[in-house]
């Protein structure tokens, strides 16, 4: 079943919320990374440990930024009224799938094909 206008509105709220929390998280990560880096200069003994921390911190920030891109793209599709339509086969994406992953670009069958091609 395709998402109706009301459901799309609800998903939009979820997307906007998620966007806000990612931006906050990424900003926190950035200042954490800066802090960890400045600590690295002061103390050589803990260097390895701190490097790992800032690496993990940076990696998680990158993942969040990738998700942020997907969210922005989904919000653009809502504005363009192409939201909830599979980018590969032009079929409607099931509303259950959109609820689980509001920024889904593909319907479930296309997603599976896409993932197989990536391997
Ligand atoms: Zn599809």
């Amino acid at each position: 079943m395709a998402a109706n206008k009301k459901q799309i509105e609800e998903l939009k709220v979820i997307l906007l919320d998620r966007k806000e929390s990612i931006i906050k998280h990424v900003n926190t990560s950035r200042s954490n990374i800066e802090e960890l880096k400045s600590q690295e200069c002061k103390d050589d003994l803990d260097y390895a440990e701190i490097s790992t921390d800032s690496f993990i911190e940076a990696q998680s920030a990158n993942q969040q930024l990738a998700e942020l891109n997907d969210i922005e793209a989904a919000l653009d599709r809502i504005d363009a009224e192409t939201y909830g339509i599979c980018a590969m086969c032009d079929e409607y994406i099931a509303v259950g799938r959109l609820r689980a992953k509001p920024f889904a670009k593909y319907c479930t069958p296309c997603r599976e094909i896409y993932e197989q091609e990536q391997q």
Side-chain angles (χ1 to χ4, degrees):
M1 205 180 69
N4 63 33
K5 263 206 148 71
K6 189 174 170 281
Q7 287 165 328
I8 289 177
E9 276 304 310
E10 284 166 11
L11 290 162
K12 188 178 177 178
V13 172
I14 295 169
L15 284 164
L16 289 170
D17 265 9
R18 182 76 187 136
K19 181 179 161 180
E20 204 177 312
S21 79
I22 290 179
I23 290 171
K24 257 186 225 158
H25 182 95
V26 168
N27 284 338
T28 314
S29 281
R30 279 210 181 111
S31 48
N32 284 348
I33 292 166
E34 290 308 311
E35 205 179 307
L36 288 164
K37 276 187 183 152
S38 66
Q39 283 173 5
E40 278 171 19
C41 303
K42 285 176 208 148
D43 193 343
D44 282 338
L45 285 175
D46 287 334
Y47 182 80
E49 197 181 320
I50 289 164
S51 289
T52 311
D53 281 353
S54 64
F55 177 74
I56 291 166
E57 197 70 52
Q59 228 184 8
S60 123
N62 280 340
Q63 272 169 10
Q64 303 246 323
L65 285 174
E67 191 183 336
L68 191 61
N69 277 335
D70 286 341
I71 290 171
E72 297 275 15
L75 289 167
D76 284 348
R77 290 198 298 277
I78 291 176
D79 286 342
E81 292 182 353
T82 57
Y83 179 76
I85 299 167
C86 174
M88 218 164 340
C89 69
D90 287 337
E91 294 288 332
Y92 285 108
I93 302 170
V95 66
R97 170 155 165 76
L98 289 171
R99 285 222 172 97
K101 198 182 170 195
F103 50 82
K105 236 186 297 186
Y106 306 123
C107 67
T108 308
C110 288
R111 176 78 215 175
E112 278 163 13
I113 295 166
Y114 178 78
E115 273 169 7
Q116 272 165 16
E117 280 173 0
Q118 298 297 301
Q119 281 164 10

